[in-house]
Structure formats: C-alpha cells, structure tokens
Amino acid sequence: MKIEGKCFVFGDNVNTDEIIPARYLNTSDPFELAKYCMEDIRPGFGKREDIKGSIIVAGENFGCGSSREHAPIAIKAAGISCVIAKSFARIFFRNAINIALPIVELKEVEEFDEGDVVEVDFENGIIKNKTKNKTYTVHSYPELLREILKFGGWLEYCLKKSGGDTE
Amino acid sequence: MTLAEKILSRKAGKKSVEPGEYLLLDVDVALANDITAPIAIENFKKYGGKKVFSPEKLVLVPDHFVPNKDIKSAMQVKLLRDFAKEQEIKNFFEVGRMGIEHVILPDLGIVKSGDLVVGADSHTCTYGALGAFATGVGSTDIAGVMLIGKIWLKVPESIKIELHGSFNEFVTAKDLILKIISILGVDGATYKSIEFLGSGVENITMDGRFTISNMAIEAGGKTGLFPVDERTVEYEKERNITVEKMYPDEDAKYFKSLNIDLKTLEPQVAYPFLPSNCKNISEAEKDRIKVDQVVIGSCTNGRIEDLRLAAEIFKNHRVNPDVRCIIIPGSQEVYKQALNEGLINIFMEAECAVSTPTCGPCLGGHMGILAKDEIAVSTTNRNFVGRMGHPDSKVFLASPAVAAASAIKGFIADPRKL
Ligand code: SF4
C-alpha cells in the first residue's frame, strides 16, 4: 500500500477538541464532521477542496484529549489519506487503526514544510519527501495492522473473519 | 519476561513476545458501561451482528448514572438491559444488585488472575491487581469482541516499581499511587505496563492493590500489574478460583525502574488540576484549604477497607457544619458488609450522607455536583477542570483517611493529628 499527497503541517499536542470541536458532535455523520475538521486551529480547513488525498504532518502527542472516535473519523472523511506525526496519543492511535485511517510515526517531522509532496510506502516502511528529495525509514506496518487497513477497519476485519456470519 | 509479556505470550500461545509486537488475541472478559455500551451495541448491529460471539464473556454494568438520573440515562440503561435480555448476557447488573464495574468484577470472580480483560472504560486497568492484563479500549473494540471475541494489542514496554517495607499508620495505597504518579508524571507511562514488584508488595492488601492498579492510567499506563502471590491466590480461592503464582522472570527487561520505601511515605493530596500535583499532607495542611464537600467512594476507594478506615476516623466525631460529606459504597456487597460491621451507623451518627452504589459525583454525573468556586476533597481518581461539576470548582484527591479528617475539620487536614 502506497499513497502520495501534499502536506499540511500542524504543531505539537493537537487535541481531539481541535480536530473536531465538541460543539459539532451532535451528529455522527462522517461527512458532516469532516466539514469542521481542525476548525478551531485552521478555520475552514475541513471544507477545502485541496485537502482531498493530502497528508497531515504534526508534532508530538497528536490526538490527545478525549477518547472520541469522531476525531479520526472527521480526518478520514475530510479526505486526508494519512497522518504523519512525531507521536500519537494511545487512544487516538487505536481509534485511527480501527477506522482504517493510516497513521505513521516519524521523528523528523520538523523537516517537512507545508505543501511538500510526500510518498508513504507502508509495506516497506519508507517515507519520501519528493519536494525535498529526502527519504526516511520508519517501522513497516505489522501484517495485522496492514490487514485491518486493507479491509477498511477493525469491524470490517471482524466481519470478514467471521465469514460474514455473525449468527 | 515481564508480567505483561508473560500474560500476553500465554494468551498468544507463543514462547515469548517482544514489546512493540502486535497480537490478535482471544479476550477473556469484555466490559462496557451505561456510557460506552450503547455505542458498542449500535456498531455491533450496524455490522450485521445478530448473536454476540460469547455472551458469557461480556459484562454490562450500568453504574455511571444509576439509579437513572434523568430520561436520557434511563433510555441508555434500558438499551443495555434489553440487549442483555435479548443476547442472554448473564452479567448485567441491576440496581439493588449492582456496583461500580471495577469494584464488582474482581469481587464476584468474573475476572481472575492471568486473564486478558478489555473494557470500554479507562479504569479497566484496576484488574491488574489480580495479575490480569486489563486495559481500557474504545466502544468499537467492544463491538469487535461482540462480533469475533478478539482484540488487537501491541505488547507494551514495562516500568518496574520496586517496593520495600510497609506503610505507617494512616498512610495508604492511595498515597503510594499518588506519589508514583507525581514522580512519573501524567504521561510518564504512556503505552506502558507499570509493574509493582519487590518485597513491599506482600504488605499491601488486595483492596490496596486495586486502588493502586486503578490509577495506573493516571500516569498514562496501559495497565498496572501486580504479581500473583500468596495473597492473590488466597483471594481467588475465596471465590472458588484456583490460580498459580506468577512473577516476572529474573532477567525481565524493564524500560525504567523506580524504588520506593513505603515507610518513607506520608499521606498525599493531589491539587487541581492534575493527579500528579501532589503535596505531603503536612505541607497541604498549612495551606488551610477550606472544604465544601467530601466524597468517599468510587472505583478507586469504594471498597470495604476504605470504608473501615473512614469509619475509624469518623468514630466519635462529626462532619463540620460547613461540609457535606457523601459516602458511596462501591457495591451492594460492600454496602451490606459495611452495614453488618456497623460502619454505616458510624457514618450516619457523624452526619454523613450514605448513597446507594454509583459513580455519581466522581465524573460530575449526579449525587453531589459542585457549584461555582466550591472545593471538594475526594477519594476518586481525577481532578481535572470541571470533573465534579462547575468549571470553576476544584477537586483535591486524597485517601479516605485524609478525606474523613478534612470532613471533620472543615479544611484539608492530617488524619494523624486528629
Ligand atoms: S467511579 Fe469514577 S473513575 Fe470509576 S468508573 Fe465510575 S466514573 Fe469512572
């Protein structure tokens, strides 16, 4: 699995309230949520057309705060194809994998600028910053997580594993 | 191997596991409550679920807003009740038979040493006291367990807390865990298993161990584990469960270790707005912090030993006229035992309000919400902004001994001086 996209850069400790403010949580419709993705740190972000297929790059502890699953859902539905951060909050990490939002930890995120074109190769654990012509190696995705992402999320995976038979 | 690695390798059917490894494991017990179960049930149905994978592994505990505090909570609990009936889930606990999830599960022998337990509640780590790998997950994860009985997990690195000696009078397990959190910091153990080891462990009771493991999450821990020793084996035996002792290997690799002599500890008070903001009581007492409300209860300190300790302090004393003191036994069983031992009588004579088991005020739910600028001393586990009510209220965390002494004095007080 490989993806390529333009970067949008955010700082450290982006919390779930910033990813999707609580006042928009009166719906669980992913596309409604997507409109307000990052609303409080970058107003209008979720409604931009050019974020489709792009990559969010952020600092430490991305997704800290509450355990709300709406946060990765909003990011995914907004069309973001991957989040690269220095580190992720534990529950956000879990929630992201569960809904099949690919996320990658990378120490050198400071070297990325807004607009850089980046390629992520999950299988081989390689991130290429095509604009800066630099390559980084990261942990390749363990097979289990790759499968979960391939099936489109944890519950989709469960469904497949139960042979679609949940009786 | 560390305790975490031992349990997880056994569950995975492997000789050994390494930190960072991802595993797909069969769950022994999966838990959800009145806040988190509705979303899990909704997801289960949305994904075509008809019959849950193994109803005997599922536990549904309505405890946060019970007895139903309003229409919304009544509807949520009804959803759980109906689902439990429809799916023949035995482990649903009704008002009058219930208690706070993390108090009743070990007590009723539903979770046991060596189990892999996941719960849609962050304090699921409580069962680490039994030597069970227990961790908080999301509602989607519980829906997954309903569908196929499995969970995916990353093997954590571990932190060793080496304990020596025993507690002085009126120093408790709560003081120890508050101290540990203040040393590690609120994210000092993120992703990690905290393991409580050393000769001092023998001197900590099972109720004390539950209190300690319960708050592992307040240092960010994925779980907080005790070895399975004589005491644990005895505890399980009383519940007709036979378990083997379990210690980490001599050559287990720990990410970090910490040494604590229990004798050197003083009662602690965690100041707002983080559980790591601790002061020794001798310092805290000097601050003369006036208290409006005291809460003794919760999944951290709502067990029988906690009530015994509080009763010992309330005996022949009264709650200060400017203080409301609310005591909440953690379960119906704890309540009955406290009644039989005469503790409830002591509380009533001291003019405390005694409530039926519930999470209630711990999360600002009901049964003791704080007004603007009010101050509470609470035996619960979180003192975040607005946790127990108004955003301008404050919560100080402490042991039942400090809480009771403060209720009597009207300010944050040292139980050793009463
Ligand atoms: S007592 Fe408090 S911390 Fe424990 S489960 Fe209930 S709300 Fe959560």
Side-chain angles (χ1 to χ4, degrees), chain A residues 5 24 41 61 76 82 111 150 167:
Chain A
Y24 301 117
I41 32 177
N61 205 19
K76 192 179 174 201
C82 175
E111 298 174 12
K150 194 177 82 197
E167 284 280 358

Side-chain angles (χ1 to χ4, degrees), chain A residues 28 61 69 87-91 93-95 97-99 105 142 144-145 148 154-159 161-162 165-167, chain B residues 22-24 43 47-51 135-141 143-145 147-148 150-153 190-191 217 220 222:
Chain A
S28 54
N61 205 19
E69 292 178 29
S87 65
F88 291 92
R90 185 176 84 87
I91 299 193
F93 184 88
R94 231 195 135 74
N95 289 341
I97 299 297
N98 279 344
I99 65 137
E105 286 190 7
L144 176 60
L145 297 198
I148 296 172
W154 173 238
L155 292 180
E156 285 77 4
Y157 175 96
C158 291
L159 213 59
K161 290 287 148 171
S162 65
D165 173 22
T166 46
E167 284 280 358
Chain B
Y22 285 86
L23 304 171
L24 183 64
N43 267 325
Y47 281 81
K50 295 202 179 69
K51 247 338 290 74
T135 191
V137 295
S139 293
T140 301
D141 291 299
V145 177
L147 288 168
I148 63 168
K150 290 186 197 295
I151 192 90
W152 64 271
L153 282 179
T190 305
Y191 282 120
I217 179 70
K222 186 164 185 165

Side-chain angles (χ1 to χ4, degrees), chain B residues 63-64 100-102 121 123 298-299 359 362-363 381 387:
Chain B
D63 54 359
H64 283 63
I100 300 169
E101 44 197 322
H102 311 309
D121 188 274
H123 292 98
S298 84
C299 59
C359 291
C362 171
L363 78 162
N381 46 47
R387 172 77 180 178

Side-chain angles (χ1 to χ4, degrees), chain B residues 145-194:
Chain B
V145 177
M146 288 174 176
L147 288 168
I148 63 168
K150 290 186 197 295
I151 192 90
W152 64 271
L153 282 179
K154 181 173 165 187
V155 180
E157 293 183 304
S158 303
I159 295 177
K160 167 154 77 172
I161 314 276
E162 184 101 43
L163 304 171
H164 312 278
S166 52
F167 294 120
N168 287 326
E169 202 186 9
F170 295 126
V171 181
T172 68
K174 180 65 164 286
D175 304 303
L176 170 63
I177 188 62
L178 286 174
K179 186 78 197 179
I180 291 171
I181 296 163
S182 72
I183 297 170
L184 292 177
V186 289
D187 54 4
T190 305
Y191 282 120
K192 309 215 166 37
S193 155
I194 308 177

Side-chain angles (χ1 to χ4, degrees), chain B residues 340-375:
Chain B
N340 291 338
E341 293 182 18
L343 310 182
I344 303 293
N345 205 33
I346 294 173
F347 298 143
M348 300 299 280
E349 288 302 323
E351 297 176 341
C352 300
V354 183
S355 156
T356 191
T358 181
C359 291
C362 171
L363 78 162
H366 63 152
M367 296 297 291
I369 306 295
L370 299 174
K372 188 173 188 314
D373 298 327
E374 282 193 329
I375 287 180

